[in-house]
Amino acid sequence: MRCWPFLKAGLKRIESVSGVFIVLILTLSAVPVSGKESFSASYSIGDEGGLLFYYHPESIPEQLIRNNINNGHQAEIYIKFRIQQRGSSLFMGADNLEIHVRKTGFRDQITGDYILLLDGREVNVYRDWERFFSDFSGLLTYSSGPILSKDSIPLIKAREKIIYKKLVPPFSILYLLPGKYVRQGSWNTVPLEGNR
């Protein structure tokens, strides 16, 4: 099929622009958002097959989060626990389960209080920044409830994401900028408490 010269020129421009766009997206996605993840986590198993997670983030940039919260934004610590239940028999398959835990902090612009949420539910209200940040960035103990079968051997991995400033779509595409609004680490194996 023949193309008119002006159509050929238009197609070449579209191809070159789309090529640059694809290279830009691939470059941004290849850049790690953070270096080595800096947090500690462990778990224990309750009598009824429930898991109790202990998680403590480290190296959270307090001043950056404080500036964002005082400017009316939210900050969040977002942890994913990925649980693989392996049966005791070699012929049994594995069940996978993910648990997402979110600690969200923000400031009430009317009262000036700092609010801490756990999975969207209010945990506490603070008058001063120091107590708020201590709880926001401190140890998190989270109970999953009964999820393990009797003879399963869990393999648990965790991944941490620190969101300095929560953005809503379409601005959330800015999370692709490394380190500006978010820090995300890689998946790490979570040890059983006492087996570190």
Side-chain angles (χ1 to χ4, degrees), residues 50-63:
L51 292 172
L52 193 60
F53 297 105
Y54 309 97
Y55 162 83
H56 193 278
E58 295 168 3
S59 305
I60 296 183
E62 179 177 357
Q63 195 56 50

Side-chain angles (χ1 to χ4, degrees), residues 4-196:
W4 296 103
F6 68 88
L7 287 177
K8 285 183 180 177
L11 287 173
K12 283 182 182 174
R13 274 196 294 265
I14 290 171
E15 286 174 358
S16 66
V17 169
S18 64
V20 169
F21 183 72
I22 289 170
V23 168
L24 179 64
I25 293 296
L26 290 175
T27 303
L28 285 175
S29 63
V31 175
V33 178
S34 73
K36 188 176 184 325
E37 193 169 5
S38 180
F39 74 97
S40 61
S42 62
Y43 75 96
S44 61
I45 302 174
D47 294 336
E48 298 178 5
L51 292 172
L52 193 60
F53 297 105
Y54 309 97
Y55 162 83
H56 193 278
E58 295 168 3
S59 305
I60 296 183
E62 179 177 357
Q63 195 56 50
L64 177 60
I65 289 178
R66 184 173 190 168
N67 291 342
N68 286 329
I69 286 179
N70 285 339
N71 287 329
H73 302 287
Q74 293 185 0
E76 189 167 274
I77 298 173
Y78 182 81
I79 314 112
K80 280 186 185 178
F81 292 102
R82 184 171 287 169
I83 302 141
Q84 182 180 37
Q85 297 184 55
R86 295 171 292 175
S88 56
S89 166
L90 292 175
F91 302 105
M92 293 179 67
D95 293 327
N96 293 311
L97 176 67
E98 265 194 12
I99 294 176
H100 301 182
V101 185
R102 292 176 296 126
K103 262 178 141 178
T104 308
F106 64 95
R107 189 173 192 190
D108 186 313
Q109 295 301 303
I110 297 172
T111 65
D113 294 335
Y114 295 99
I115 316 292
L116 181 63
L117 308 176
L118 180 62
D119 289 339
R121 295 182 179 165
E122 188 175 299
V123 175
N124 213 339
V125 177
Y126 306 85
R127 292 296 301 159
D128 61 289
W129 170 260
E130 288 72 22
R131 286 184 56 227
F132 163 78
F133 188 74
S134 175
D135 284 358
F136 176 76
S137 62
L139 177 69
L140 168 70
T141 303
Y142 185 84
S143 175
S144 72
I147 59 170
L148 294 180
S149 56
K150 250 185 181 177
D151 299 323
S152 68
I153 305 161
L155 172 65
I156 300 174
K157 292 185 174 285
R159 185 179 199 175
E160 171 196 68
K161 183 190 287 185
I162 307 292
I163 301 172
Y164 310 133
K165 183 196 285 190
K166 281 196 74 175
L167 301 170
V168 296
F171 301 106
S172 54
I173 194 169
L174 295 174
Y175 286 147
L176 292 174
L177 298 174
K180 185 165 177 63
Y181 298 103
V182 65
R183 179 184 89 202
Q184 178 170 284
S186 55
W187 288 99
N188 287 326
T189 302
V190 179
L192 181 64
E193 186 73 13
N195 289 352
R196 288 172 170 271

